[in-house]
Amino acid sequence: MSAIAGTHIVVGITGGIAAYKSVDLTRRLRDQGADVRVVVTPAGKAFITPLTLQATSGNPVHDSLLDTSAEAGMGHIELARWADQIVVAPASADFIARLATGLADTLLSTLCLASEAPITIAPAMNHVMWEKTATQRNVESLRTWGVTVLDPRIGPQACGEVGPGRMQEPEEIVQYLAQSRSPGSLDGVQVMVTAGPTWEALDPVRALTNHSSGKMGYAVATAARIAGASVTLISGPTALAPPAGIQVKSVVSAQEMLAAVESNIDSTDILICAAAVADYRPADSMPQKMKKDAPEMTIKLVRNPDILASMAARPSPPFIVGFAAETERTIDNARGKLERKKADLMVANPIEGKDKPFGSDRNALVLVDRNTELDLGQDTKVKLAVNLIDEIAKRFHAKDSAKST
Ligand code: C5P
């Protein structure tokens, strides 16, 4: 039996020639036993009629936010609660922008805003529109918030041009929706992630810190939650919004980060240390703001605790993943850290020759364990985080089953 049999799926259809494929999508979802309700936007209706969609979905079609008779039947809030998943196919550039901005001016965007169900979008548009910075930024925001984006395929387009913009085929979308209902690779697993920089106070207004933005650690925490884990994020000071569905503990210094990690470690199965922890802190933090009277000043620094190494040295440590940002001999240095700190896996992050390695939305990662290396390539931090969590889940389960045999 399909994993979507008996589930409630809202299919959103926005304006685009690929809307005709959504007739096939609704039919396929019904064939697999799903209960399907279609919500079509005004632009979507220009491409496909509600009558056709009613026939293929077997339910009345919803097309208006401010319709008293529709609200008396199944209104937008009821529909938002009814949905086990929402899939928007095709998702136009306009709809993606609405969703990314949180607009609630059509039934479909309101429904997405009001629902706690997982949202999947299958974009379809002219390739130039897809590649525009504005669209890519909106797509990236949606990914960061946990929306699954089924990337458009490259091929000939209705406009006669060739490029990335073709909606994924209904068959692929159904396959993804069925897979996403299957148990996640980290279902029932407790994951703790450290992220961001630490600030080591010199006095009440000044601190030693670094350029870490926290984006990679936050993306890893979100990917772990999507894979079914229960996630605690221990975050140094960042400008990022707390990710949905994740318990966030905010800390400032390395010592505070260590204390937060220690208080959660006993219930942790996987610890992922993505934080850029300051290696040293001022020996004395001044109680009052320091004056600039002297022509020179020397600050004495003392070593901070190594959070990863001290967790790995515990009697029964969790599965531990570290990050190693390296400017030279990346693999050798990462493997050296893996062995010294006794981690299970190191994520090497080559930053050789890069002008601006920190704060960017992109990264390049290589996984290093005792015997092997796996290059995850260059991509956005959000996509790399999804692949990284897949790899961590495989290795964690392999170690776990080796322990119990
Ligand atoms: O030695 P290095 O700082 O390069 O090691 C990086 C790894 O160790 C990262 O996973 C980082 O989060 C972790 N680390 C730590 N505590 C420290 C320093 C680094 O947990 N004091």
Side-chain angles (χ1 to χ4, degrees), residues 194 273-279 304-309 321-324 326 337 341 346:
T194 69
C273 295
V277 184
D279 293 320
N304 261 331
D306 190 310
I307 301 170
L308 189 162
V321 182
F323 273 72
E326 300 295 338
K337 281 181 190 171
K341 297 186 188 227
M346 267 289 160

Side-chain angles (χ1 to χ4, degrees), residues 132-214:
K132 269 281 151 63
T133 309
T135 307
Q136 286 302 311
R137 210 174 38 207
N138 290 333
V139 166
E140 214 41 45
S141 301
L142 294 179
R143 281 202 170 105
T144 310
W145 301 334
V147 171
T148 301
V149 181
L150 301 178
D151 279 338
R153 302 282 183 229
I154 298 172
Q157 300 205 269
C159 54
E161 294 174 9
V162 177
R166 285 170 64 92
M167 186 174 95
Q168 290 201 13
E169 293 304 321
E171 199 180 354
E172 295 175 274
I173 300 174
V174 173
Q175 193 182 20
Y176 169 77
L177 294 175
Q179 252 169 23
S180 71
R181 293 294 299 181
S182 307
S185 58
L186 291 178
D187 264 5
V189 176
Q190 305 275 342
V191 172
M192 177 159 48
V193 180
T194 69
T198 63
W199 285 12
E200 311 298 331
L202 283 157
D203 69 17
V205 294
R206 303 180 182 94
L208 295 180
T209 187
N210 58 63
H211 290 296
S212 168
S213 64

Side-chain angles (χ1 to χ4, degrees), residues 4 32 59 141 155-156 159 189 196 287 305 326 344 358 403:
I4 53 174
Q32 297 222 0
N59 277 315
S141 301
C159 54
V189 176
E326 300 295 338
D344 294 282
F358 295 100
K403 262 199 281 183

Side-chain angles (χ1 to χ4, degrees), residues 144-145 217-219 221-222 225 233 240-248:
T144 310
W145 301 334
Y218 276 53
T222 302
R225 181 188 61 74
L233 174 63
L240 305 174
I246 290 175
Q247 198 195 354
V248 183

